[in-house]
Amino acid sequence: MQFSIDGKMLDAGKDYIISGESKGLKGKYRLVKIESIASKNSLGDWSYHSVSKKDLLVIDDSTLVGGGVKSLLKIIEEKKCFGAAGYIELNSVKLTMDVSETASPFFHLIVLKKSFPVTKSEAVINIQNKIIHVMTQNIIGYVKGKRMPDSFIVLTAHYDHLGEMGNSVYFPGANDNASGTSMLLTLCRYYAQKQNQPDYTIVFIAFSGEEAGLIGSQFFAQYPLINLNKIKFLINMDIVGTGEEGIKVVNATEFPNQFSLLQNLNDENHLLKSVQSRGKAANSDHYPFYLKGVPDFFIYTLGGISAYHDVYDRAETLPLTKFNDLEILLKKFIDGLQ
Ligand SMILES: [Zn+2]
């Protein structure tokens, strides 16, 4: 994996990332600013002159007005990159890695704008990227309830992350989602002790394939090992390693009674700074269950570090500010649900 511009070698993971769906590319390429070949009157209405397969388009997100970079990239893909081999997207804020299930016919590199040399005229690239399908597993355990073993409280957290980019760039995913997995294991250890045996059966699920599109949770919701109608409540924990500003609760507006319970428990016990409400969102593993009619929350912490889907989401810098208080709140909430 190599990428240099006008002789300057850029640092993979810190200066640039390869978009998940990108095609691989090898060789010397001329860099062409999108503004120099295309003009936009309105969205979808372009006039342009073609470039060649030895060119790469450069798209600077900070110079775009209206529409935003996402809609522009969509148009560029529809226009088959105007004949270029692909494009380099300059991001002025941060690099955000993703994984993709589908392959694009174009090269797509995301470069941090401040790492991009001003002279930029030629890039030398040697990057391979291809979609590989792998088998993976959800990991499931349970503690049998003592009073109503056929009713379930389900606790979930995805344990997958983004893996590596090449052999040298590693995305640890401390907050996303080793933190949630740790909370899952912490609660598992607690409820597994005889004196803490719950009234309902508590099911613990560590999902895989979340980052590739909620694959593990979708699979479970489609082929459940328990009766979904018997789930009293499901709590999904994804990114719970900070908490200075409290927590956000996805689906709070969908399940107001349970949300009130959670807020009251927090107030009574002076645990977190805030328990904030959010509507429904298809952004983590609770969602396939929500679509099946299972009442659920997705909880994530607020404040602290902003590392997300990048090489900086590391255990060394994850504060775990309110991890213990969140653990206490979750136990009280689980008790309150039974
Ligand atoms: Zn996550």
Side-chain angles (χ1 to χ4, degrees), residues 158 176 210-211 238:
H158 75 85
D176 183 11
E210 194 269 353
E211 303 288 10
D238 188 0

Side-chain angles (χ1 to χ4, degrees), residues 158 160-161 176-177 210-211 238-239 284 308-309:
H158 75 85
D160 65 298
H161 191 52
D176 183 11
N177 188 27
E210 194 269 353
E211 303 288 10
D238 188 0
I239 307 189
S284 189
Y308 173 74
H309 280 214

Side-chain angles (χ1 to χ4, degrees), residues 29-217:
Y29 292 84
R30 190 171 67 114
L31 299 174
V32 180
K33 281 184 178 175
I34 186 79
E35 309 88 283
S36 70
I37 63 146
S39 61
K40 187 174 72 160
N41 302 319
S42 64
L43 212 61
D45 180 18
W46 288 75
S47 58
Y48 62 92
H49 56 87
S50 291
V51 285
S52 85
K53 278 279 168 219
K54 292 305 286 177
D55 294 329
L56 284 174
L57 303 175
V58 177
I59 298 142
D60 184 344
D61 77 343
S62 63
T63 62
L64 295 172
V65 280
V69 73
K70 278 226 163 70
S71 57
L72 176 63
L73 295 184
K74 200 164 161 271
I75 291 166
I76 286 170
E77 295 243 348
E78 278 165 13
K79 301 281 182 191
K80 304 199 183 315
C81 288
F82 306 112
Y87 52 95
I88 293 174
E89 176 190 340
L90 301 185
N91 193 299
S92 49
V93 184
K94 79 179 281 297
L95 299 175
T96 304
M97 183 69 175
D98 62 356
V99 280
S100 176
E101 279 192 287
T102 52
S104 161
F106 305 111
F107 178 71
H108 178 190
L109 199 71
I110 306 163
V111 183
L112 207 55
K113 196 184 172 188
K114 64 171 190 260
S115 307
F116 202 76
V118 207
T119 43
K120 51 193 183 295
S121 61
E122 186 181 79
V124 177
I125 293 167
N126 185 1
I127 290 174
Q128 295 171 1
N129 196 33
K130 61 180 176 191
I131 304 281
I132 301 169
H133 289 279
V134 291
M135 272 294 248
T136 183
Q137 290 82 27
N138 294 330
I139 302 167
I140 305 161
Y142 68 94
V143 173
K144 199 167 182 178
K146 61 181 176 212
R147 203 166 53 83
M148 296 180 69
D150 293 334
S151 291
F152 304 106
I153 287 173
V154 180
L155 306 178
T156 69
H158 75 85
Y159 73 92
D160 65 298
H161 191 52
L162 303 163
E164 290 177 309
M165 189 172 78
N167 298 321
S168 56
V169 181
Y170 175 52
F171 297 88
N175 201 10
D176 183 11
N177 188 27
S179 66
T181 311
S182 304
M183 187 64 84
L184 186 74
L185 293 174
T186 302
L187 294 169
C188 191
R189 183 172 57 189
Y190 173 80
Y191 285 107
Q193 290 166 15
K194 194 74 197 145
Q195 68 272 23
N196 302 326
Q197 189 184 3
D199 287 339
Y200 295 167
T201 292
I202 301 189
V203 181
F204 304 86
I205 311 178
F207 285 122
S208 186
E210 194 269 353
E211 303 288 10
L214 314 182
I215 291 170
S217 51

